[in-house]
Amino acid sequence: MKLWRKPFDYAEKATTSGQVFIDEERCKGCGYCVEFCPREVLKMSTELSPKGYNLAVVQDESKCLACGFCEVICPEFAIRISTTNEK
Amino acid sequence: MIDAMNVEEPSIEKYLRQDRLPHIWCSGCGIGPVAGCFLRAIDREEIDPDRIAVVSGIGCTGRVAGYVKLDSFHTTHGRAIPFATGLILANPELNVVVFSGDGDLVAIGGNHLIHAARRNIDMTVICVNNFNYGMTGGQVGPTAPLEARTTTTPYGNFEFPFNLPYLVSASGASYVARWTVLHIRQLEKAIAEAMTKPGFSFIEVIAPCPVVYGRMNKEPKGLDSMYYYQEKSVIRNGADPKDADLELNGPIVVGKFVDVQRPTLWDHLREVSSRAQEKAKARAKV
Ligand code: SF4
Ligand code: SF4
Ligand code: SF4
């Protein structure tokens, strides 16, 4: 995002960035996380999971806001968002 | 694979029987997110997990009891509420959560449901409503909207459905809400509220069943149902549940409908028994 002037509370209000971990054994390819991620971080792949479902995979992790929506909407408890490595 | 060094343990993972996962529910089934909401609600309200008992009946939703690492009870068909009532009367300290589907709670156990609401038993009932009996092959359920196709109503449902929030609020429930699986944040909050609220709390969750109900009703993927919820849901907190009827492809009124304070069954029971004891004591003195 381009900012013309830096807001005073920029550091405090800055969005956190997250890392997305998808458990390939649990994912059943329903696509909820891909569809409802506000930042289009994820996408469906043609790769198959051990159970034979299409997997959701990360396409651009740098956009992730760590909002956690994918984590809560996933019916398989397959997604984990980590913010541990954030600076 | 998850890099174990990097990831802190997800908050709900400690409440799941991880050895049983991946679970048996179909891809896109709405039960998983509801179960997740319930597990997160425990931490949200800092409820002691040792005080929680999960009671389920039979059916796809009944499986929840088997996946949670909490005290759980997988009971006979339709009888989740009677078992839960017994648990509460034996140990009123327990926070009992009944997790079941529409067929189990409302058809087979319909009588128990209205009486539990009438007596205002201190429990939380989470009813995952997917309009049919998913596990047994998609027979019509008591909440299936008119004209909905199921395996037993291939030309469209000709029975009038129950409006669940209206049914339980008319029976006397203290807390009544309805959300869809897509309203996941509100749902988590509602479950947290219901679990801490004394009295009978009822939450209806409209959930996709893509494999059986959805396939027969032009929503063959979970996502199709989710788009429908996104498009047609109307949030009306405090709405009269009477106006919350569901129609096939019609608007879905969601929100918190009822939140009132009423003495619970246990309060009344204690009051009456202490009064009786005092009377007996007075009589013994004479
Ligand atoms: S929501 Fe979960 S199960 Fe569905 S595609 Fe995403 S990771 Fe897979
Ligand atoms: S945490 Fe939010 S932004 Fe990041 S992948 Fe999930 S839904 Fe997208
Ligand atoms: S049959 Fe329907 S309710 Fe049962 S697990 Fe499959 S999608 Fe879910």
Side-chain angles (χ1 to χ4, degrees), chain B residues 17-43:
Chain B
R17 288 181 207 260
Q18 292 170 26
D19 51 327
R20 298 264 190 110
L21 296 175
H23 55 57
I24 201 164
W25 298 313
C26 314
S27 161
C29 176
I31 301 169
V34 186
C37 277
F38 159 61
L39 297 175
R40 277 189 306 276
I42 299 174
D43 278 349

PDB file of all heavy atoms in Angstrom, chain B residues 17-43:
ATOM      1  N   ARG B  17      -9.604 -35.046  19.466  1.00  0.00           N
ATOM      2  CA  ARG B  17      -8.944 -36.353  19.467  1.00  0.00           C
ATOM      3  C   ARG B  17      -8.213 -36.470  18.135  1.00  0.00           C
ATOM      4  O   ARG B  17      -8.774 -36.936  17.144  1.00  0.00           O
ATOM      5  CB  ARG B  17      -9.984 -37.462  19.592  1.00  0.00           C
ATOM      6  CG  ARG B  17     -10.599 -37.552  20.967  1.00  0.00           C
ATOM      7  CD  ARG B  17     -11.591 -38.685  21.042  1.00  0.00           C
ATOM      8  NE  ARG B  17     -12.588 -38.385  22.056  1.00  0.00           N
ATOM      9  CZ  ARG B  17     -12.556 -38.894  23.298  1.00  0.00           C
ATOM     10  NH1 ARG B  17     -11.633 -39.734  23.638  1.00  0.00           N
ATOM     11  NH2 ARG B  17     -13.473 -38.555  24.164  1.00  0.00           N
ATOM     12  N   GLN B  18      -6.959 -36.032  18.153  1.00  0.00           N
ATOM     13  CA  GLN B  18      -6.243 -35.902  16.886  1.00  0.00           C
ATOM     14  C   GLN B  18      -6.044 -37.237  16.179  1.00  0.00           C
ATOM     15  O   GLN B  18      -5.930 -37.295  14.967  1.00  0.00           O
ATOM     16  CB  GLN B  18      -4.891 -35.240  17.138  1.00  0.00           C
ATOM     17  CG  GLN B  18      -5.061 -33.804  17.552  1.00  0.00           C
ATOM     18  CD  GLN B  18      -3.771 -33.201  18.042  1.00  0.00           C
ATOM     19  OE1 GLN B  18      -2.702 -33.630  17.674  1.00  0.00           O
ATOM     20  NE2 GLN B  18      -3.878 -32.200  18.888  1.00  0.00           N
ATOM     21  N   ASP B  19      -6.000 -38.305  16.971  1.00  0.00           N
ATOM     22  CA  ASP B  19      -5.797 -39.610  16.337  1.00  0.00           C
ATOM     23  C   ASP B  19      -6.996 -40.019  15.491  1.00  0.00           C
ATOM     24  O   ASP B  19      -6.890 -40.885  14.640  1.00  0.00           O
ATOM     25  CB  ASP B  19      -5.520 -40.672  17.415  1.00  0.00           C
ATOM     26  CG  ASP B  19      -6.567 -40.644  18.514  1.00  0.00           C
ATOM     27  OD1 ASP B  19      -7.065 -39.542  18.817  1.00  0.00           O
ATOM     28  OD2 ASP B  19      -6.918 -41.705  19.061  1.00  0.00           O
ATOM     29  N   ARG B  20      -8.159 -39.368  15.715  1.00  0.00           N
ATOM     30  CA  ARG B  20      -9.343 -39.723  14.934  1.00  0.00           C
ATOM     31  C   ARG B  20      -9.458 -38.892  13.646  1.00  0.00           C
ATOM     32  O   ARG B  20     -10.395 -39.074  12.880  1.00  0.00           O
ATOM     33  CB  ARG B  20     -10.602 -39.458  15.763  1.00  0.00           C
ATOM     34  CG  ARG B  20     -10.698 -40.266  17.010  1.00  0.00           C
ATOM     35  CD  ARG B  20     -11.540 -41.471  16.753  1.00  0.00           C
ATOM     36  NE  ARG B  20     -11.852 -42.167  17.986  1.00  0.00           N
ATOM     37  CZ  ARG B  20     -13.054 -42.189  18.515  1.00  0.00           C
ATOM     38  NH1 ARG B  20     -14.051 -41.552  17.941  1.00  0.00           N
ATOM     39  NH2 ARG B  20     -13.278 -42.856  19.610  1.00  0.00           N
ATOM     40  N   LEU B  21      -8.573 -37.911  13.490  1.00  0.00           N
ATOM     41  CA  LEU B  21      -8.686 -37.024  12.339  1.00  0.00           C
ATOM     42  C   LEU B  21      -7.816 -37.547  11.198  1.00  0.00           C
ATOM     43  O   LEU B  21      -6.827 -38.198  11.462  1.00  0.00           O
ATOM     44  CB  LEU B  21      -8.261 -35.606  12.726  1.00  0.00           C
ATOM     45  CG  LEU B  21      -9.159 -34.949  13.786  1.00  0.00           C
ATOM     46  CD1 LEU B  21      -8.595 -33.604  14.197  1.00  0.00           C
ATOM     47  CD2 LEU B  21     -10.575 -34.771  13.271  1.00  0.00           C
ATOM     48  N   PRO B  22      -8.121 -37.267   9.953  1.00  0.00           N
ATOM     49  CA  PRO B  22      -9.255 -36.508   9.447  1.00  0.00           C
ATOM     50  C   PRO B  22     -10.582 -37.189   9.781  1.00  0.00           C
ATOM     51  O   PRO B  22     -10.681 -38.403   9.793  1.00  0.00           O
ATOM     52  CB  PRO B  22      -9.031 -36.470   7.932  1.00  0.00           C
ATOM     53  CG  PRO B  22      -7.926 -37.402   7.628  1.00  0.00           C
ATOM     54  CD  PRO B  22      -7.238 -37.720   8.880  1.00  0.00           C
ATOM     55  N   HIS B  23     -11.571 -36.350  10.036  1.00  0.00           N
ATOM     56  CA  HIS B  23     -12.858 -36.879  10.453  1.00  0.00           C
ATOM     57  C   HIS B  23     -13.640 -37.463   9.280  1.00  0.00           C
ATOM     58  O   HIS B  23     -13.214 -37.396   8.133  1.00  0.00           O
ATOM     59  CB  HIS B  23     -13.652 -35.802  11.176  1.00  0.00           C
ATOM     60  CG  HIS B  23     -13.822 -34.542  10.379  1.00  0.00           C
ATOM     61  ND1 HIS B  23     -14.399 -34.535   9.142  1.00  0.00           N
ATOM     62  CD2 HIS B  23     -13.492 -33.251  10.637  1.00  0.00           C
ATOM     63  CE1 HIS B  23     -14.438 -33.300   8.691  1.00  0.00           C
ATOM     64  NE2 HIS B  23     -13.890 -32.501   9.566  1.00  0.00           N
ATOM     65  N   ILE B  24     -14.804 -37.975   9.591  1.00  0.00           N
ATOM     66  CA  ILE B  24     -15.563 -38.730   8.589  1.00  0.00           C
ATOM     67  C   ILE B  24     -16.484 -37.853   7.751  1.00  0.00           C
ATOM     68  O   ILE B  24     -17.007 -38.276   6.732  1.00  0.00           O
ATOM     69  CB  ILE B  24     -16.361 -39.842   9.319  1.00  0.00           C
ATOM     70  CG1 ILE B  24     -16.749 -40.951   8.344  1.00  0.00           C
ATOM     71  CG2 ILE B  24     -17.579 -39.266  10.019  1.00  0.00           C
ATOM     72  CD1 ILE B  24     -17.185 -42.209   9.045  1.00  0.00           C
ATOM     73  N   TRP B  25     -16.690 -36.602   8.169  1.00  0.00           N
ATOM     74  CA  TRP B  25     -17.642 -35.750   7.461  1.00  0.00           C
ATOM     75  C   TRP B  25     -17.167 -35.469   6.041  1.00  0.00           C
ATOM     76  O   TRP B  25     -15.971 -35.360   5.773  1.00  0.00           O
ATOM     77  CB  TRP B  25     -17.834 -34.441   8.233  1.00  0.00           C
ATOM     78  CG  TRP B  25     -18.412 -34.657   9.589  1.00  0.00           C
ATOM     79  CD1 TRP B  25     -19.476 -35.442   9.890  1.00  0.00           C
ATOM     80  CD2 TRP B  25     -17.956 -34.102  10.838  1.00  0.00           C
ATOM     81  NE1 TRP B  25     -19.715 -35.409  11.252  1.00  0.00           N
ATOM     82  CE2 TRP B  25     -18.804 -34.600  11.846  1.00  0.00           C
ATOM     83  CE3 TRP B  25     -16.930 -33.240  11.182  1.00  0.00           C
ATOM     84  CZ2 TRP B  25     -18.640 -34.253  13.187  1.00  0.00           C
ATOM     85  CZ3 TRP B  25     -16.770 -32.891  12.508  1.00  0.00           C
ATOM     86  CH2 TRP B  25     -17.616 -33.403  13.505  1.00  0.00           C
ATOM     87  N   CYS B  26     -18.141 -35.299   5.163  1.00  0.00           N
ATOM     88  CA  CYS B  26     -17.836 -35.102   3.753  1.00  0.00           C
ATOM     89  C   CYS B  26     -17.132 -33.761   3.537  1.00  0.00           C
ATOM     90  O   CYS B  26     -17.217 -32.861   4.355  1.00  0.00           O
ATOM     91  CB  CYS B  26     -19.109 -35.095   2.917  1.00  0.00           C
ATOM     92  SG  CYS B  26     -20.253 -36.426   3.296  1.00  0.00           S
ATOM     93  N   SER B  27     -16.507 -33.659   2.378  1.00  0.00           N
ATOM     94  CA  SER B  27     -15.865 -32.406   2.008  1.00  0.00           C
ATOM     95  C   SER B  27     -16.923 -31.307   1.928  1.00  0.00           C
ATOM     96  O   SER B  27     -17.943 -31.477   1.268  1.00  0.00           O
ATOM     97  CB  SER B  27     -15.181 -32.590   0.661  1.00  0.00           C
ATOM     98  OG  SER B  27     -14.923 -31.357   0.064  1.00  0.00           O
ATOM     99  N   GLY B  28     -16.696 -30.211   2.616  1.00  0.00           N
ATOM    100  CA  GLY B  28     -17.638 -29.095   2.578  1.00  0.00           C
ATOM    101  C   GLY B  28     -18.775 -29.204   3.565  1.00  0.00           C
ATOM    102  O   GLY B  28     -19.642 -28.342   3.612  1.00  0.00           O
ATOM    103  N   CYS B  29     -18.795 -30.246   4.369  1.00  0.00           N
ATOM    104  CA  CYS B  29     -19.862 -30.388   5.358  1.00  0.00           C
ATOM    105  C   CYS B  29     -19.765 -29.272   6.395  1.00  0.00           C
ATOM    106  O   CYS B  29     -18.683 -28.870   6.792  1.00  0.00           O
ATOM    107  CB  CYS B  29     -19.740 -31.737   6.054  1.00  0.00           C
ATOM    108  SG  CYS B  29     -20.949 -31.927   7.357  1.00  0.00           S
ATOM    109  N   GLY B  30     -20.918 -28.772   6.816  1.00  0.00           N
ATOM    110  CA  GLY B  30     -20.925 -27.629   7.729  1.00  0.00           C
ATOM    111  C   GLY B  30     -20.717 -27.974   9.195  1.00  0.00           C
ATOM    112  O   GLY B  30     -20.645 -27.065  10.019  1.00  0.00           O
ATOM    113  N   ILE B  31     -20.623 -29.243   9.520  1.00  0.00           N
ATOM    114  CA  ILE B  31     -20.545 -29.588  10.940  1.00  0.00           C
ATOM    115  C   ILE B  31     -19.179 -29.217  11.525  1.00  0.00           C
ATOM    116  O   ILE B  31     -19.091 -28.746  12.656  1.00  0.00           O
ATOM    117  CB  ILE B  31     -20.833 -31.093  11.140  1.00  0.00           C
ATOM    118  CG1 ILE B  31     -22.225 -31.421  10.607  1.00  0.00           C
ATOM    119  CG2 ILE B  31     -20.748 -31.472  12.612  1.00  0.00           C
ATOM    120  CD1 ILE B  31     -22.515 -32.901  10.496  1.00  0.00           C
ATOM    121  N   GLY B  32     -18.124 -29.399  10.733  1.00  0.00           N
ATOM    122  CA  GLY B  32     -16.768 -29.108  11.208  1.00  0.00           C
ATOM    123  C   GLY B  32     -16.605 -27.693  11.751  1.00  0.00           C
ATOM    124  O   GLY B  32     -16.161 -27.513  12.885  1.00  0.00           O
ATOM    125  N   PRO B  33     -16.969 -26.665  10.964  1.00  0.00           N
ATOM    126  CA  PRO B  33     -16.819 -25.303  11.478  1.00  0.00           C
ATOM    127  C   PRO B  33     -17.623 -25.056  12.756  1.00  0.00           C
ATOM    128  O   PRO B  33     -17.174 -24.315  13.631  1.00  0.00           O
ATOM    129  CB  PRO B  33     -17.345 -24.426  10.338  1.00  0.00           C
ATOM    130  CG  PRO B  33     -17.247 -25.256   9.120  1.00  0.00           C
ATOM    131  CD  PRO B  33     -17.373 -26.679   9.546  1.00  0.00           C
ATOM    132  N   VAL B  34     -18.788 -25.676  12.867  1.00  0.00           N
ATOM    133  CA  VAL B  34     -19.599 -25.469  14.075  1.00  0.00           C
ATOM    134  C   VAL B  34     -18.883 -26.081  15.282  1.00  0.00           C
ATOM    135  O   VAL B  34     -18.793 -25.472  16.351  1.00  0.00           O
ATOM    136  CB  VAL B  34     -21.000 -26.093  13.914  1.00  0.00           C
ATOM    137  CG1 VAL B  34     -21.865 -25.741  15.110  1.00  0.00           C
ATOM    138  CG2 VAL B  34     -21.654 -25.626  12.637  1.00  0.00           C
ATOM    139  N   ALA B  35     -18.330 -27.274  15.078  1.00  0.00           N
ATOM    140  CA  ALA B  35     -17.587 -27.908  16.167  1.00  0.00           C
ATOM    141  C   ALA B  35     -16.388 -27.044  16.554  1.00  0.00           C
ATOM    142  O   ALA B  35     -16.093 -26.864  17.737  1.00  0.00           O
ATOM    143  CB  ALA B  35     -17.125 -29.303  15.741  1.00  0.00           C
ATOM    144  N   GLY B  36     -15.718 -26.478  15.550  1.00  0.00           N
ATOM    145  CA  GLY B  36     -14.581 -25.600  15.820  1.00  0.00           C
ATOM    146  C   GLY B  36     -15.003 -24.387  16.634  1.00  0.00           C
ATOM    147  O   GLY B  36     -14.323 -23.984  17.579  1.00  0.00           O
ATOM    148  N   CYS B  37     -16.149 -23.795  16.277  1.00  0.00           N
ATOM    149  CA  CYS B  37     -16.666 -22.630  17.010  1.00  0.00           C
ATOM    150  C   CYS B  37     -16.904 -22.982  18.467  1.00  0.00           C
ATOM    151  O   CYS B  37     -16.583 -22.203  19.362  1.00  0.00           O
ATOM    152  CB  CYS B  37     -18.008 -22.197  16.440  1.00  0.00           C
ATOM    153  SG  CYS B  37     -17.852 -21.165  15.037  1.00  0.00           S
ATOM    154  N   PHE B  38     -17.468 -24.133  18.686  1.00  0.00           N
ATOM    155  CA  PHE B  38     -17.747 -24.572  20.049  1.00  0.00           C
ATOM    156  C   PHE B  38     -16.433 -24.695  20.833  1.00  0.00           C
ATOM    157  O   PHE B  38     -16.314 -24.209  21.960  1.00  0.00           O
ATOM    158  CB  PHE B  38     -18.510 -25.900  20.001  1.00  0.00           C
ATOM    159  CG  PHE B  38     -18.435 -26.704  21.265  1.00  0.00           C
ATOM    160  CD1 PHE B  38     -18.919 -26.193  22.454  1.00  0.00           C
ATOM    161  CD2 PHE B  38     -17.878 -27.972  21.266  1.00  0.00           C
ATOM    162  CE1 PHE B  38     -18.843 -26.926  23.626  1.00  0.00           C
ATOM    163  CE2 PHE B  38     -17.799 -28.706  22.427  1.00  0.00           C
ATOM    164  CZ  PHE B  38     -18.278 -28.176  23.615  1.00  0.00           C
ATOM    165  N   LEU B  39     -15.423 -25.302  20.204  1.00  0.00           N
ATOM    166  CA  LEU B  39     -14.157 -25.509  20.915  1.00  0.00           C
ATOM    167  C   LEU B  39     -13.452 -24.184  21.192  1.00  0.00           C
ATOM    168  O   LEU B  39     -12.840 -24.002  22.243  1.00  0.00           O
ATOM    169  CB  LEU B  39     -13.258 -26.458  20.111  1.00  0.00           C
ATOM    170  CG  LEU B  39     -13.839 -27.867  19.933  1.00  0.00           C
ATOM    171  CD1 LEU B  39     -12.962 -28.704  19.026  1.00  0.00           C
ATOM    172  CD2 LEU B  39     -14.005 -28.557  21.277  1.00  0.00           C
ATOM    173  N   ARG B  40     -13.560 -23.255  20.257  1.00  0.00           N
ATOM    174  CA  ARG B  40     -12.943 -21.945  20.515  1.00  0.00           C
ATOM    175  C   ARG B  40     -13.708 -21.171  21.576  1.00  0.00           C
ATOM    176  O   ARG B  40     -13.133 -20.393  22.329  1.00  0.00           O
ATOM    177  CB  ARG B  40     -12.842 -21.135  19.224  1.00  0.00           C
ATOM    178  CG  ARG B  40     -11.626 -21.493  18.387  1.00  0.00           C
ATOM    179  CD  ARG B  40     -11.463 -20.512  17.244  1.00  0.00           C
ATOM    180  NE  ARG B  40     -12.687 -20.439  16.490  1.00  0.00           N
ATOM    181  CZ  ARG B  40     -13.016 -21.291  15.534  1.00  0.00           C
ATOM    182  NH1 ARG B  40     -12.200 -22.244  15.199  1.00  0.00           N
ATOM    183  NH2 ARG B  40     -14.165 -21.167  14.914  1.00  0.00           N
ATOM    184  N   ALA B  41     -15.026 -21.396  21.629  1.00  0.00           N
ATOM    185  CA  ALA B  41     -15.835 -20.703  22.629  1.00  0.00           C
ATOM    186  C   ALA B  41     -15.411 -21.092  24.049  1.00  0.00           C
ATOM    187  O   ALA B  41     -15.511 -20.290  24.974  1.00  0.00           O
ATOM    188  CB  ALA B  41     -17.317 -21.001  22.409  1.00  0.00           C
ATOM    189  N   ILE B  42     -14.900 -22.305  24.209  1.00  0.00           N
ATOM    190  CA  ILE B  42     -14.461 -22.741  25.543  1.00  0.00           C
ATOM    191  C   ILE B  42     -13.318 -21.847  26.031  1.00  0.00           C
ATOM    192  O   ILE B  42     -13.324 -21.355  27.155  1.00  0.00           O
ATOM    193  CB  ILE B  42     -13.974 -24.208  25.496  1.00  0.00           C
ATOM    194  CG1 ILE B  42     -15.103 -25.120  25.062  1.00  0.00           C
ATOM    195  CG2 ILE B  42     -13.413 -24.642  26.838  1.00  0.00           C
ATOM    196  CD1 ILE B  42     -14.670 -26.551  24.854  1.00  0.00           C
ATOM    197  N   ASP B  43     -12.351 -21.616  25.126  1.00  0.00           N
ATOM    198  CA  ASP B  43     -11.228 -20.765  25.516  1.00  0.00           C
ATOM    199  C   ASP B  43     -11.658 -19.312  25.636  1.00  0.00           C
ATOM    200  O   ASP B  43     -11.176 -18.590  26.500  1.00  0.00           O
ATOM    201  CB  ASP B  43     -10.106 -20.879  24.472  1.00  0.00           C
ATOM    202  CG  ASP B  43      -9.263 -22.113  24.719  1.00  0.00           C
ATOM    203  OD1 ASP B  43      -9.427 -22.709  25.791  1.00  0.00           O
ATOM    204  OD2 ASP B  43      -8.462 -22.462  23.845  1.00  0.00           O
TER     205      ASP B  43
END
